[in-house]
Amino acid sequence: DQQVKQNSPSLSVQEGRISILNCDYTNSMFDYFLWYKKYPAEGPTFLISISSIKDKNEDGRFTVFLNKSAKHLSLHIVPSQPGDSAVYFCAAMGSGTYKYIFGTGTRLKVLA
Amino acid sequence: DAMVIQNPRYQVTQFGKPVTLSCSQTLNHNVMYWYQQKSSQAPKLLFHYYDKDFNNEADTPDNFQSRRPNTSFCFLDIRSPGLGDAAMYLCATSRALAPETQYFGPGTRLLVL
C-alpha cells in the first residue's frame, strides 16, 4: 500500500520553461513534506520542505505547493535549467511519527 | 565539508556470505538511518538509531542487523544475503527525530551473486 505516489516516472521540459512535479498522498495524518533531488551515483539531497500549516513555500527557483484537501503537493521549478535534470523524490511524515514515507521518484530531463 | 560517507560504494558478495556496509558522518547528528532502495522503488526505512537507541522497522527481515559503536559510525550487517537483497543501501542522518531534514550519503550498491 503506497501512501506516497509519484505517478509520473519521467518528465521532459525545455530549458527556461516551468517544470511541475506532482506527488499525491493518502494518509491525512501526514503534516510535513520534503522534496529531494538525486543525481546519478549520489545520495538524495534536500531541496525544499513544507509544513501542513502552509500552502506554499518558495526558495529561489523552487516552489512547493500543498493542497491538503486534495492530498496533493507539487514542486515547481522556474525557469528550468539543464542542471536540474535529476530524479526528484517527495517524502511525507505524520505528526508524532519519526519516519518519512518516500515516493518512487520522477526523473526530470531538462532539454537545452 | 560536513558530510555523510558510505563505504564501499559498490559491494559484491556471494549468496549467503555475510557482508557489512559502513556509514560515517561528520555532522555530529544524533540520528542515523539505513534505507534499502530497489530499482524504480521508493527508499524503504530498515531501522534507525537515536543516539544508542536502536529502532527496527516491523517489516525489516531478521537477516538485517545494525551496529552503532559511536556517534560517527553506523554499520549495516546482512547475515546471509539472498538474491533479493541486491539493492542500493542509503545511510542518512538527522539532528533529531522528525520533523527534521535527513542528509543522505551516496549509497552502497550491493550485488549478490
Side-chain angles (χ1 to χ4, degrees):
Chain A
D1 176 30
Q2 210 170 331
Q3 297 184 68
V4 178
K5 298 178 185 178
Q6 293 178 256
N7 291 317
S8 297
S10 64
L11 174 69
S12 290
V13 171
Q14 283 295 132
E15 181 179 7
R17 305 293 287 268
I18 183 171
S19 295
I20 300 176
L21 297 102
N22 294 305
C23 180
D24 296 295
Y25 60 96
T26 58
N27 190 337
S28 58
M29 298 300 292
F30 287 152
D31 63 357
Y32 194 75
F33 305 87
L34 301 173
W35 283 93
Y36 281 89
K37 178 168 73 173
K38 185 182 182 306
Y39 292 119
E42 294 183 16
T45 55
F46 169 72
L47 197 55
I48 194 168
S49 64
I50 189 165
S51 162
S52 61
I53 61 172
K54 293 185 170 184
D55 53 18
K56 176 182 172 180
N57 189 24
E58 201 168 346
D59 183 2
R61 296 185 297 114
F62 302 92
T63 304
V64 56
F65 294 92
L66 176 61
N67 182 332
K68 290 183 285 292
S69 60
K71 297 192 183 70
H72 177 83
L73 67 156
S74 60
L75 174 68
H76 292 211
I77 307 173
V78 183
S80 302
Q81 299 173 354
D84 296 329
S85 298
V87 178
Y88 290 79
F89 291 94
C90 67
M93 181 181 285
S95 174
T97 70
Y98 59 85
K99 73 187 230 184
Y100 286 105
I101 306 297
F102 282 81
T104 53
T106 295
R107 183 177 301 277
L108 173 66
K109 190 169 184 179
V110 180
L111 307 168
Chain B
D1 278 345
M3 57 176 59
V4 182
I5 302 159
Q6 289 189 246
N7 287 306
R9 296 293 306 275
Y10 299 91
Q11 176 74 58
V12 181
T13 191
Q14 291 180 329
F15 182 94
K17 186 174 180 182
V19 66
T20 295
L21 309 182
S22 127
C23 177
S24 64
Q25 53 129 343
T26 60
L27 296 159
N28 204 33
H29 282 174
N30 292 312
V31 192
M32 295 186 79
Y33 309 81
W34 280 104
Y35 287 85
Q36 179 192 63
Q37 186 182 18
K38 296 186 177 179
S39 181
S40 302
Q41 295 185 20
K44 178 177 173 295
L45 183 65
L46 295 173
F47 24 60
H48 76 273
Y49 272 96
Y50 183 87
D51 196 11
K52 295 180 181 177
D53 292 333
F54 177 70
N55 293 272
N56 200 29
E57 292 301 300
D59 57 354
T60 298
D62 292 340
N63 201 21
F64 291 83
Q65 306 283 321
S66 186
R67 297 171 282 135
R68 189 179 185 185
N70 54 53
T71 301
S72 301
F73 284 86
C74 195
F75 300 99
L76 170 61
D77 300 308
I78 308 176
R79 290 190 298 189
S80 181
L83 297 178
D85 296 328
M88 175 71 82
Y89 289 88
L90 294 163
C91 174
T93 73
S94 64
R95 207 164 40 92
L97 290 173
E100 287 274 344
T101 299
Q102 293 183 8
Y103 296 86
F104 284 84
T108 294
R109 183 166 294 283
L110 178 68
L111 182 61
V112 181
L113 301 178

